[in-house]
Amino acid sequence: MTGLASAFRTLAVTGAAALLALAGSAASPAVAVPEPKAPPEFVALDSVDRTILQEMRYTTAHNFVGEPIDGYRQPVCVLTRPAAEALHRAQTRLLARGYTLKVYDCYRPQRAVDHFVRWAEDLADERMKAEFYPLVAKDRLFADGYIAEKSGHSRGSTVDLTVVRLPAERTRAYVPGEELTSCSGPVEERFPDSSVDMGTGYDCFDTLSHTENPRITGVQRANRQLLKGLLEAEGFVNLPEEWWHFTFKPEPFPSTYFDFPVARRSVAGH
């Protein structure tokens, strides 16, 4: 009987300890890790210039992935302050000519770039091919430089943008599942966009998107040169493979790839 009593006492103590541990766990839930915020050098573009149009594609399904991209919480352009102020100067000059800038993408968190990489590795997902990369095999996206594991956008001073004639027309909403048309086709056949004709649509994976492609002539070439000349005068450098892609130099963060979400709270108080 003495052995049984000892065993029961041991079970009782062990059970009580387990109950106390559970109670302590319930009373002290895990603390959520707060989202990272942007350094004070970052601002929302519309806090510097409210006249620049914003059509933030990666908050929507109208992009080459076909769904909203990780890290894009709100349709707001976030940039380093020097880049935003340089865009404001360019916009002031452009407005005097009867045009406005329109941005498609600005700062891009690393988690969004990771989303692009996962999508590119999934060769079966080609839901947006007919519009954004009709002539490129998906298994060539890395080799041809269309997708990479790091993006200059994540450093905060790179912007994708175009020119819109005033008064600006509103771009109609994309309807997921609608029939797609090639981004490299004639302007009247491409998805309707308020942009002047740049020869291709935005984010078009095609050599026609190269800024100086010799097949781009006439009005299309003039429009590209208008955008390029305007931004170069304010310190931006164009990526030759993408007519829409510009980086402000010198960059405040030339080697830092940030991952705070695209949201106003990320730059609140800046």
Side-chain angles (χ1 to χ4, degrees):
M1 292 295 292
T2 302
L4 285 174
S6 177
F8 280 127
R9 282 197 300 272
T10 300
L11 286 172
V13 171
T14 303
L19 288 172
L20 286 172
L22 286 172
S25 175
S28 303
V31 177
V33 178
E35 286 276 22
K37 290 194 66 174
E41 292 85 353
F42 281 78
V43 295
L45 175 62
D46 59 11
S47 71
V48 176
D49 192 310
R50 293 183 176 277
T51 67
I52 297 175
L53 302 180
Q54 298 189 29
E55 186 183 319
M56 305 300 291
R57 287 286 186 91
Y58 297 142
T59 63
T60 77
H62 190 210
N63 57 66
F64 56 84
V65 176
E67 63 190 20
I69 304 303
D70 291 353
Y72 285 84
R73 305 286 174 76
Q74 293 176 305
V76 55
C77 171
V78 173
L79 287 169
T80 58
R81 181 174 291 278
E85 290 177 346
L87 282 186
H88 168 65
R89 294 192 298 270
Q91 173 74 343
T92 299
R93 294 169 54 211
L94 194 59
L95 288 173
R97 300 179 63 169
Y99 296 90
T100 179
L101 293 171
K102 179 172 76 170
V103 296
Y104 294 113
D105 190 37
C106 302
Y107 157 75
R108 180 184 304 165
Q110 181 60 44
R111 71 191 76 178
V113 179
D114 296 341
H115 191 168
F116 292 165
V117 170
R118 292 194 305 273
W119 166 81
E121 291 173 340
D122 181 4
L123 300 183
D125 183 356
E126 294 193 324
R127 71 189 108 162
M128 302 301 284
K129 178 178 176 61
E131 178 172 355
F132 291 96
Y133 54 108
L135 303 179
V136 179
K138 193 174 183 184
D139 62 5
R140 294 288 309 171
L141 294 183
F142 287 106
D144 291 350
Y146 294 112
I147 300 293
E149 294 183 349
K150 294 289 184 181
S151 169
H153 282 274
S154 301
R155 302 193 298 262
S157 296
T158 294
V159 59
D160 293 342
L161 73 174
T162 190
V163 172
V164 173
R165 185 185 297 276
L166 293 173
E169 296 181 3
R170 182 181 295 274
T171 299
R172 75 164 175 83
Y174 164 76
V175 180
E178 70 174 80
E179 184 177 358
L180 302 176
T181 56
S182 172
C183 59
S184 58
V187 63
E188 62 272 10
E189 297 177 10
R190 300 196 299 262
F191 183 88
D193 186 290
S194 58
S195 171
V196 298
D197 185 9
M198 292 289 190
T200 76
Y202 168 59
D203 257 357
C204 190
F205 297 175
D206 192 288
T207 56
L208 275 179
S209 294
H210 294 187
T211 308
E212 302 293 343
N213 188 296
R215 292 176 291 166
I216 299 298
T217 60
V219 172
Q220 296 172 341
R221 185 174 186 83
N223 288 335
R224 290 188 184 188
Q225 292 303 312
L226 170 63
L227 178 62
K228 185 171 183 284
L230 183 79
L231 294 183
E232 285 181 341
E234 300 301 338
F236 287 92
V237 177
N238 175 240
L239 179 67
E241 291 77 20
E242 298 177 353
W243 59 258
W244 56 81
H245 180 117
F246 291 84
T247 299
F248 181 76
K249 301 287 186 176
E251 295 182 65
F253 300 99
S255 58
T256 305
Y257 297 83
F258 294 97
D259 193 41
F260 59 85
V262 176
R264 291 194 180 278
R265 66 184 301 174
S266 294
V267 293
H270 292 190

